[in-house]
Amino acid sequence: MGDVARLAGVSHQTVSRVLNEPQAVRPATRERVEAAIAALGYRRNPAARSLVTRRSEVLGVVSFDTALYGPASTLAAIEGAAREAGYFVSIASLPTLTSASVSEAVERLLAQSVEGVVVIAPQQEAAAAVRDLPADVALVTVEGDAVDGRSAVSVDQAEGARLVVEHLLDLGHPTVHHVAGPRHWYETAGRVRGWRTALEAAGRPVPPPLQGDWTARSGYEAVLGLDLDGVTALFVANDQMALGALRALHERGVEVPGRVSVAGFDDVPEAAFFIPPLTTVRQDFGQVGRRSIRLLLERIRGEGGPTASLVPAELLVRESTAPPP
């Protein structure tokens, strides 16, 4: 900064203002300083800056290595929201979410002087690991239930499932069968709860749910072996499994939605291009990212207490659902 100041003919303080509050510097002066920065190839030293400010301006994120649409979109949204707030992100991506791996990842991030940590914890074991972390760590969980003393952000999974089931019942279907996600996932439990609650509230039969694992193959296999007698509506717990369900119905000669209506969850980018275009539930991942970063920064500043924040889900009705035959 001293070299930049000498070349631009300004004080060290003026260079600092250009870097931190450029709007407070006259345009002509700012242009001289910026030209000197470019000529010298000046780059800020984050380590030196953190020694002065006692702030690293880095947040940690614990996620797991997955191509699943929901967790991957959540991670991208958190990173984008942190960037908008002026923070860099250090990501610890784990092959599996276990109590030991989550604890180790958080400790590794804290050793890098991150100011706070977001843990994407869609599985129950990850939430158990968060519960065991020191209480003084500024931390927010995402996609899971609230852990004692921690703030949490998630999409209202049960509400999204309820919207799907009520839509299908309003079309005249006597009940709605369900292909659920894998056990021990909070999204699975929330979507099953919303599906069951909506059927019970309407006084309709609650069929035994089928089990999937989020993959298209599992949706295909579940529906390929399903006794379709009396089945007119399927709520599938994510769009990938719904894609497999659509193929299974096609191979069995079952028209969608003429014979069976199918709805999914997530609104993956391809959902509108399925055959037929898929009725599904959209999750606002951008809102999840912004809320999680806001709550984490509040925790870092010591403002407020633990908060459980639910982001509303949105039903998108397309051509894969219709009245029963």
Side-chain angles (χ1 to χ4, degrees), residues 93-136:
S93 183
L94 307 176
T96 57
L97 288 175
T98 66
S99 182
S101 66
V102 171
S103 297
E104 181 183 348
V106 171
E107 290 299 329
R108 189 164 69 247
L109 291 169
L110 293 175
Q112 298 173 21
S113 299
V114 299
E115 295 185 35
V117 180
V118 176
V119 179
I120 301 175
Q123 299 172 16
Q124 295 169 7
E125 193 168 2
V130 170
R131 189 174 290 108
D132 294 334
L133 293 171
D136 60 347

Side-chain angles (χ1 to χ4, degrees), residues 47-127:
R49 178 178 172 83
S50 66
L51 289 174
V52 176
T53 62
R54 297 184 182 276
R55 294 179 55 221
S56 66
E57 296 182 351
V58 178
L59 302 176
V61 179
V62 177
S63 183
F64 68 109
D65 187 14
T66 179
L68 290 173
Y69 179 72
S73 299
T74 300
L75 176 59
I78 290 169
E79 186 174 16
R83 186 170 58 251
E84 290 176 4
Y87 283 80
F88 293 101
V89 170
S90 180
I91 299 171
S93 183
L94 307 176
T96 57
L97 288 175
T98 66
S99 182
S101 66
V102 171
S103 297
E104 181 183 348
V106 171
E107 290 299 329
R108 189 164 69 247
L109 291 169
L110 293 175
Q112 298 173 21
S113 299
V114 299
E115 295 185 35
V117 180
V118 176
V119 179
I120 301 175
Q123 299 172 16
Q124 295 169 7
E125 193 168 2

Side-chain angles (χ1 to χ4, degrees), residues 22 27 34 49 66 96 114 135 146 157 170 196 243 292 310:
E34 290 172 346
R49 178 178 172 83
T66 179
T96 57
V114 299
Q157 308 290 337
D170 288 344
R196 188 183 302 277
L243 178 61
S292 62
L310 284 177

Side-chain angles (χ1 to χ4, degrees), residues 233-322:
L234 276 174
F235 164 42
V236 189
N238 78 336
D239 291 349
Q240 282 90 348
M241 292 195 299
L243 178 61
L246 288 172
R247 175 175 170 177
L249 291 170
H250 173 74
E251 290 183 359
R252 297 179 67 177
V254 177
E255 184 182 355
V256 177
R259 169 67 176 80
V260 174
S261 288
V262 177
F265 204 109
D266 277 343
D267 190 34
V268 299
E270 300 83 6
F273 299 93
F274 287 5
I275 299 176
L278 186 67
T279 292
T280 187
V281 174
R282 175 180 292 163
Q283 303 191 72
D284 190 343
F285 296 109
Q287 187 69 251
V288 170
R290 288 188 292 273
R291 290 194 190 186
S292 62
I293 294 301
R294 176 176 59 80
L295 289 175
L296 183 58
L297 296 182
E298 288 177 359
R299 188 66 185 269
I300 291 170
R301 295 190 294 261
E303 300 171 358
T307 301
S309 180
L310 284 177
V311 175
E314 178 188 3
L315 176 67
L316 299 177
V317 178
R318 297 192 179 107
E319 287 87 341
S320 67
T321 53

